[in-house]
Amino acid sequence: MCGIVGYIGKRDIAPLLLEGLQRLEYRGYDSAGIALQPRPGTAGGLRTAKAKGRVRDLRDRLPKRFTGTAGIAHTRWATHGAPSDANAHPHLDASGKVAVVHNGIIDNAADLRAKLAADGVELVSDTDTEVLAHLVGRAQAETLEEKVRHALGGIEGTYGVAVLHADFPDRIVVARNGSPVVLGLGEKEMFVASDVAALVTHTRQVITLGDGEMATLKADEYRTYTTEGSRTSAAPTVVEWEAESYDRGGHETYMHKEIHEQPDAVDRVLRGRLDERFSTVHLGGLNLDAREARGVRRVKILGCGSAYHTGLIGAHLIEELARVPADAEPASEFRYRNPVVDPDTLYLAVSQSGETYDTLAAVQELKRKGARVLGVVNVVGSAIARETDGGMYVHAGPEVSVVSTKCFTNTAVAFALLALHLGRIRDLSVADGRRILAGLRRLPGQIAEVLRDEERIAALAGRYAHARSMMFVGRVRGFPVAREASLKLKEVSYVHAEAYPASELKHGPLALIDPDVPTVAVVPDDDLLEKNRATLEEIKARGGRILAVAHQEQPRADDTIVVPRNEPELDPVLMGIPLQLLAYHTALALGRDIDKPRNLAKSVTVE
């Protein structure tokens, strides 16, 4: 969601911070700002510039000779207070000596604001973050570290923060609790960010802070410690992704680039994992031996948004191939219903970023109750990867567009690998294992084949783009595909859409069908083909238009997108690809800002 960038060193800071903010634009934001520690001998305190709107608006507002020795910057996604210059970060204390940028939500902000106001403090914004700047400024402590620690002691909620203080010009102090903070290590310079995307052009040596951890950055050194003051010894890691991975690579949008990266991305998630000898796969990171795997009596998958939809696909795969009862549930709801945590249930937490707060909180609740939890994530070293007992990386590479495409597909393929692994440990035959392996190997080429039909899909999108609403339907394996396609269309084009199991259409949603509400139907050639065709008949009888995604032309559909056949269990992976293109080209036809859809953020790190 919000983005943090900070730097201390000898470079020209403002351009560097602006570049970092631009690399975080994909996360979603409504305003931006910078605070600089002025060079020695410069009159006045901290220097700030803030602007509602885009990073380019902030750049236009920067004063001349806007330089310093250290700086922090921020892109804000509104939670407390509407987008405005006043609500943009960084926030200052009453003296103007303290500047704070903050990701997360301070739950007790209202009480803290009331106490500060009662003490005569004039609050100039509507944000929760401003209280933190005042608390740091009012803290009676000798060092900046102690001031920040004292202020955080009065905070309830989540935070990733970076703090400057005019009286301590040689340092930036940062802290994390529930919102990512990454340190970047350079030669006589140090960086901090909420996402490695802001760092990779300058350094690949990074340290990811854990919850309850703080750090002090100076130009030539750093140290990490807990919020209680105990030293920690976080080891640097090397970022695998190149800076070029965060560029558009000749495509007009990141979403278009990432859709077209899927053949290579799927090849990566398969690479080195297919075991031809035993018709299974190698998943060493699960930390789950064969005896433990056979002891699993149920699988519960938790995720949010697209991650939840891949969980639905994963649950079907696990039930079909491993014959273990499995279901998926929104992680955002799970921990609020006092769930029964069964020691024989294997829990899977799914998140592209590995930092999704609702999913991370569900993991922490499960761990508190003694459950075994595995992570299915894309980002190495992320919070969920660290908190879980093991898991799988999906190796999709950096996904910059707010709308998930390649990570959704790679996660679905990762679930196929897991289902095959569990199935072969249990009762799945060698022949079926060999059949699924063959299907997995065909996927990259078949995805490329679907992408070659983009021009026709774009023409279809133009034909349906001005519908007042759209219905998406599918049965069993096809229903999660319909749900994800409906979400994609809403996210990126703002066209209202609903998804239903095709069998449920006659139980109420048929009332919505008319010529202005077309239906997208997922119709694979499986044992439910005739039942799906009966649904198409019901829609046509009520004057509805139909766009089918199928393995062959559908006589009752107005239009059909034909996709290649794979094994029935893997067909959902392929049938989702043209629907990503449909959403993309619908948004393009409607003139939407595809990589920055309104009101949304990439990594949702608040509750």
Side-chain angles (χ1 to χ4, degrees):
M1 297 182 74
C2 306
I4 289 174
V5 185
Y7 173 81
I8 185 166
K10 294 184 177 180
R11 297 202 213 184
D12 190 0
I13 295 180
L16 186 149
L17 294 178
L18 286 170
E19 177 207 347
L21 293 181
Q22 285 178 314
R23 288 190 171 272
L24 298 183
E25 285 189 294
Y26 74 93
R27 295 170 68 94
Y29 71 105
D30 51 61
S31 56
I34 293 178
L36 296 184
Q37 187 78 257
R39 297 190 183 279
T42 304
L46 300 178
R47 305 187 68 192
T48 62
K50 304 196 291 184
K52 175 185 173 182
R54 297 300 185 190
V55 173
R56 61 178 177 267
D57 299 312
L58 173 63
R59 179 188 288 107
D60 293 342
R61 191 170 294 189
L62 292 184
K64 294 180 179 179
R65 294 183 292 278
F66 192 62
T67 62
T69 58
I72 55 177
H74 191 265
T75 50
R76 175 180 184 258
W77 187 80
T79 55
H80 293 67
S84 68
D85 291 355
N87 288 334
H89 298 212
H91 287 287
L92 302 179
D93 76 327
S95 71
K97 289 186 174 184
V98 176
V100 173
V101 293
H102 164 234
N103 293 349
I105 291 180
I106 298 173
D107 294 331
N108 61 333
D111 291 340
L112 293 172
R113 287 176 66 90
K115 291 177 182 177
L116 288 168
D119 287 346
V121 175
E122 182 181 355
L123 295 158
V124 298
S125 79
D126 302 316
T127 69
D128 54 342
T129 302
E130 187 186 353
V131 302
L132 184 55
H134 291 293
L135 292 177
V136 173
R138 292 161 63 85
Q140 300 299 308
E142 296 297 320
T143 68
L144 179 55
E145 290 82 355
E146 288 294 334
K147 289 177 181 290
V148 174
R149 187 180 298 121
H150 183 273
L152 294 177
I155 294 295
E156 297 173 8
T158 59
Y159 54 78
V161 298
V163 182
L164 289 180
H165 197 302
D167 292 344
F168 303 90
D170 64 337
R171 68 195 63 193
I172 302 172
V173 173
V174 300
R176 169 189 172 137
N177 181 46
S179 194
V181 175
V182 183
L183 314 182
L185 314 183
E187 290 291 331
K188 296 186 178 180
E189 60 182 359
M190 295 290 168
F191 307 81
V192 64
S194 53
D195 189 315
V196 294
L199 305 178
V200 289
T201 57
H202 306 293
T203 180
R204 296 178 66 189
Q205 294 282 329
V206 302
I207 292 173
T208 302
L209 294 188
D211 283 348
E213 198 168 14
M214 297 176 62
T216 297
L217 301 181
K218 298 183 178 181
D220 55 357
E221 66 176 358
Y222 71 93
R223 61 187 178 92
T224 60
Y225 43 94
T226 68
T227 49
E228 285 75 37
S230 302
R231 290 293 296 267
T232 60
S233 54
T237 59
V238 178
V239 177
E240 295 180 1
W241 299 334
E242 301 285 349
E244 292 75 16
S245 301
Y246 293 92
D247 296 330
R248 288 199 297 268
H251 295 261
E252 290 187 4
T253 66
Y254 284 107
M255 184 180 178
H256 191 260
K257 176 196 176 193
E258 288 158 10
I259 288 173
H260 281 267
E261 287 178 333
Q262 288 177 113
D264 289 339
V266 169
D267 182 68
R268 277 197 303 274
V269 76
L270 298 177
R271 196 176 302 157
R273 286 173 161 171
L274 305 186
D275 182 346
E276 305 292 344
R277 180 182 178 189
F278 295 106
S279 299
T280 186
V281 295
H282 298 293
L283 297 174
L286 293 182
N287 298 329
L288 187 74
D289 63 30
R291 183 182 296 274
E292 292 169 322
R294 289 193 65 86
V296 171
R297 293 289 172 263
R298 188 174 190 87
V299 175
K300 168 75 77 172
I301 304 172
L302 302 173
C304 298
S306 292
Y308 164 54
H309 295 160
T310 56
L312 293 171
I313 292 173
H316 283 302
L317 283 162
I318 290 167
E319 287 204 342
E320 285 188 295
L321 297 179
R323 305 307 298 157
V324 178
D327 67 317
E329 181 176 344
S332 51
E333 295 290 316
F334 176 74
R335 66 193 176 103
Y336 289 113
R337 61 175 184 79
N338 193 25
V340 175
V341 176
D342 184 345
D344 295 328
T345 296
L346 177 65
Y347 294 87
L348 302 174
V350 190
S351 168
Q352 183 279 136
S353 66
E355 303 285 352
T356 307
Y357 182 78
D358 288 315
T359 307
L360 178 60
V363 169
Q364 292 168 339
E365 178 70 4
L366 286 166
K367 295 296 291 179
R368 188 181 69 81
K369 293 183 176 180
R372 178 186 286 272
V373 189
L374 304 183
V376 184
V377 301
N378 190 40
V379 179
V380 175
S382 55
I384 291 172
R386 296 197 309 272
E387 294 257 1
T388 49
D389 299 300
M392 297 182 293
Y393 288 114
V394 305
H395 299 302
E399 189 174 68
V400 176
S401 178
V402 169
V403 179
S404 180
T405 53
K406 65 176 181 176
C407 197
F408 173 86
T409 298
N410 268 39
T411 305
V413 174
F415 275 124
L417 296 174
L418 177 62
L420 176 56
H421 174 73
L422 294 176
R424 289 291 291 123
I425 286 173
R426 300 167 75 90
D427 301 314
L428 189 71
S429 70
V430 171
D432 277 332
R434 190 178 300 123
R435 177 177 62 82
I436 298 300
L437 283 180
L440 289 166
R441 285 195 301 270
R442 292 197 300 272
L443 281 174
Q446 289 179 316
I447 292 172
E449 182 180 341
V450 174
L451 295 176
R452 286 194 289 271
D453 199 26
E454 180 175 8
E455 186 175 344
R456 179 168 180 270
I457 295 169
L460 290 172
R463 193 178 305 168
Y464 288 90
H466 297 283
R468 62 181 173 86
S469 183
M470 293 186 76
M471 192 78 72
F472 289 77
V473 297
R475 285 177 182 264
V476 189
R477 299 186 191 104
F479 176 52
V481 177
R483 289 197 64 159
E484 173 64 8
S486 171
L487 176 63
K488 283 288 160 286
L489 188 73
K490 285 184 286 234
E491 284 180 315
V492 75
S493 75
Y494 320 147
V495 174
H496 177 262
E498 297 286 347
Y500 286 94
S503 55
E504 282 290 298
L505 207 57
K506 59 185 175 291
H507 293 295
L510 269 177
L512 298 175
I513 297 298
D514 66 31
D516 293 327
V517 182
T519 298
V520 177
V522 181
V523 188
D525 277 3
D526 58 16
D527 54 354
L528 296 173
L529 177 60
E530 294 308 318
K531 292 187 179 296
N532 276 318
R533 284 176 167 171
T535 299
L536 304 190
E537 293 286 357
E538 292 174 350
I539 296 168
K540 293 305 292 184
R542 288 152 181 85
R545 290 188 294 157
I546 299 171
L547 170 60
V549 178
H551 292 132
Q552 58 179 298
E553 293 286 340
Q554 295 303 311
R556 298 301 289 155
D558 296 89
D559 299 286
T560 303
I561 301 171
V562 177
V563 300
R565 288 181 177 83
N566 199 295
E567 300 304 318
E569 297 91 341
L570 300 177
D571 280 334
V573 176
L574 287 169
M575 303 195 97
I577 304 297
L579 295 173
Q580 294 174 353
L581 287 170
L582 182 74
Y584 176 83
H585 284 285
T586 300
L588 197 64
L590 295 172
R592 308 306 190 205
D593 189 347
I594 288 174
D595 285 332
K596 303 181 186 72
R598 68 187 184 197
N599 304 330
L600 300 180
K602 178 63 175 174
S603 179
V604 184
T605 54
V606 297
E607 188 171 10

